[in-house]
Structures are given as C-alpha cells and as structure tokens.
Amino acid sequence: MTSPDTNAGAPPGEAPAGEAAPAPVLTIDVGGATVATPAEALAPPSPASKPAEVAPAAEAKAEPSADTLAAEATPAESSAAKSAPTSILVIDIGGTKVKVLATGQTEPRKAPSGKDFTPSRLVETARELARDWEYDGISIGYPGMVGAQGPRSEPGNLGPGWVGFDFAAAFGKPVKMVNDAAMQALGSYEGGRMLFLGLGTGLGSSLIAGNVIVPLELGRLPYDGERTLSEVLGRRGMERNGKSEWRKAVTRVVIALMGAFVADYVVIGGGNAKQVKELPPGARLGHNLTAFRGGIRLWSLEDIWVLAAYGGESSHPTAKEALRML
C-alpha cells in the first residue's frame, strides 16, 4: 500500500503541512565546490557583537604590582577554582635563574640556576626562598616539553634528572607543571588570538587561540641555512651578533610569525624583552610578573594534570573549562 503524499498541494519551496519550515539556505560555489550555508549565519553582526578592531601596534601596558595578581588571575567562570589551593607558590624556572612568588606576597625572590641545577636542587632552593611563606599548592613553569606526568624532555640549559622526577612527593604538596612560556602566555592573555614569544636563554613560544593554549617549540625552526630561531634570538645569539643585529632579527621574526599564525597581537616576554627598543606593529612587551599570574590561573584549568603528593589522589583533567591546554 502506498502512503499518501503529504507534500501534495504544497507550493514549491514550502514545507509540507504540519512541518516547520527549514532555515533559509544560501548556496555558494567556492573554487568548484558547492557549500550550503544558513543565510542568517552570513548576516552582518549587530553593533553589539562587532569585534573590537586591533590597533596596528599594541601599546605596552603598565606593569601591575605583584600583590594584585591573585585577585585578577582566576577566571570567574572556572569551576576548578572552587577546589584549587587557597595559597599557591609559583616557581618560574629559567636557564640562568629561578624565581618564586606566593599568593599574598608582593616581591618575587630569585636564585641562580644553570648547568648544575637539578630537580633536587630546585626543591631545596624553592623551599629556602619560600621558607617563611605559607602555601598549599605549587605551580611550576618548566623550560622544556611537559606532559601529564611532568617533564617529557631534559632541559638544554639545566642539569639532568628532570624526566621522571616526582615533584609532588619531593615538595609534599600537589603540583601543576606546564612549559614556562605557556605559563607566561596564560598570564599575559587578554583575549583573541595571541602569540607569546619569550626572549631568554633560548626562544620560548606559545599560542592561545579559541580559548585553547598551545605550547610551541618555535625555537627549533630554521632562521637561515645554518641557525635556528633559538640560536639567533637567544642570549648567545645576542652576545655573538650584537644588540643591533639581534633587534633587527627580532623584528623580522615577530612580523613573520605574527602573519603565519594570523595572530591579533604578539606579546614579547622573557628576560631579554627589555632589550627590544622598537616594537614591531601589533606587538607589546610583557613583563616577568605575568608568569606568576599565569601560575595562579593554572589552577583554574581542570584539564591540567595535578601531580599529587604521596598518598594523595591525582585529579584527572577534564575538558569543561573556558581555557584548555593541548
């Protein structure tokens, strides 16, 4: 038995009786491929939803005081903040020095690092620097690749033994660890698509786009036929080539990478950022205090693994937060 044609009598292009009319569709032929798109999706945005225009050159912003970092660090929408430690010690590990700052403190403390700086010495140094501070959780910015269980590779400018080291057991407190450039990028982020470049011993890099944090290793890219970006823009490159040539290289690389990543703006941070005198269009200088802001914000991201102290449970990451780490 043939079912009745429910569309009989309906004018062409109209929905059958009892069915909702489909959304208007605009068909576009792009390079030989036909793409069907809801017409309302192509409507111009309302004035309220119009994105802010990006200035040709981002202005350097005033450096915030360290005691304001905790108040502005944690995104209000994050549910992870509810279970985060109330006081956090942030450790920023560099190739020549290590710096620490805890929630409620106003001045970072630092000590030398270097080729003989091992993870055991990091624990001893951090404890000594923060000997009179109270904290119940730790964030670590590590100068290398980081995975769910901590460092995935040994740092090129520090001592050995980082891969497989149990930081949570050594500190006796829960620990979150990310790449140091990603931590500073998180503290520098103000929306949009941001590329962070850290000028220090080498070249640190991270991208935040679509609320996703992507740690990068741009320092490994070739600058020319013989040198990498890290070799040219790092501390040794500046010493070898002179500051004038180094600044020209910084400008060329920032402009090229900003275009390649279609970034709205570039933040130049790291210990040698202060050596940059003329900023390329679309770039602004960061400052080292943003690393500590990033370390506090880190506890508002649920998809960063917590390295639990001995006897504790390691919380598994989820993908429910406004910001995510890849």
Side-chain angles (χ1 to χ4, degrees):
M1 180 175 179
T2 305
S3 59
D5 184 0
T6 57
N7 196 35
E14 293 187 8
E19 295 185 15
V25 173
L26 178 63
T27 302
I28 307 173
D29 185 11
V30 183
T34 301
V35 181
T37 307
E40 59 270 21
L42 301 178
S46 62
S49 62
K50 183 178 180 181
E53 295 183 358
V54 179
E59 297 181 358
K61 300 197 174 183
E63 181 171 320
S65 59
D67 57 352
T68 64
L69 295 181
E72 60 185 24
T74 305
E77 70 273 11
S78 174
S79 61
K82 299 177 182 178
S83 59
T86 56
S87 183
I88 300 167
L89 177 67
V90 182
I91 304 174
D92 184 19
I93 308 172
T96 58
K97 65 185 70 173
V98 57
K99 295 175 288 185
V100 303
L101 185 68
T103 304
Q105 303 302 318
T106 60
E107 189 67 29
R109 297 173 180 175
K110 60 186 177 181
S113 56
K115 287 289 187 180
D116 297 326
F117 198 70
T118 63
S120 296
R121 283 192 56 190
L122 168 70
V123 175
E124 296 172 2
T125 301
R127 282 177 169 170
E128 175 61 24
L129 291 174
R131 59 191 175 276
D132 55 344
W133 292 348
E134 296 292 332
Y135 54 94
D136 49 17
I138 297 174
S139 294
I140 300 177
Y142 173 75
M145 298 176 64
V146 177
Q149 303 303 322
R152 294 173 54 189
S153 62
E154 296 292 333
N157 300 295
L158 301 175
W162 296 85
V163 176
F165 186 84
D166 194 338
F167 292 91
F171 280 108
K173 298 181 185 295
V175 174
K176 282 196 174 189
M177 176 179 283
V178 293
N179 173 265
D180 58 344
M183 190 166 77
Q184 190 166 351
L186 179 58
S188 304
Y189 185 60
E190 295 181 352
R193 185 190 293 251
M194 182 199 76
L195 177 64
F196 174 83
L197 299 175
L199 304 176
T201 306
L203 175 66
S205 52
S206 191
L207 177 75
I208 303 183
N211 291 328
V212 177
I213 308 169
V214 185
L216 303 171
E217 290 290 336
L218 298 181
R220 300 187 180 189
L221 294 177
Y223 178 81
D224 52 26
E226 300 177 352
R227 302 170 295 174
T228 64
L229 294 186
S230 184
E231 291 171 335
V232 174
L233 302 186
R235 175 169 50 85
R236 291 179 182 176
M238 180 173 61
E239 294 172 351
R240 180 171 53 249
N241 301 321
K243 291 183 179 179
S244 177
E245 290 301 316
W246 179 82
R247 288 168 182 149
K248 293 177 183 178
V250 169
T251 298
R252 286 195 294 268
V253 170
V254 168
I255 293 175
L257 292 179
M258 185 174 180
F261 284 97
V262 199
D264 296 323
Y265 57 104
V266 176
V267 175
I268 303 175
N272 289 329
K274 58 182 177 291
Q275 303 294 341
V276 179
K277 299 304 180 183
E278 296 184 9
L279 289 171
R284 68 174 173 85
L285 287 179
H287 48 79
N288 289 332
L289 285 181
T290 55
F292 300 110
R293 180 193 289 133
I296 296 173
R297 284 181 173 177
L298 199 58
W299 285 90
S300 70
L301 277 65
E302 285 188 353
D303 59 345
I304 303 295
W305 286 75
V306 177
L307 309 181
Y310 180 75
E313 294 185 358
S314 177
S315 65
H316 290 212
T318 65
K320 299 178 181 179
E321 297 309 299
L323 285 171
R324 296 179 289 126
M325 178 76 72
L326 294 184

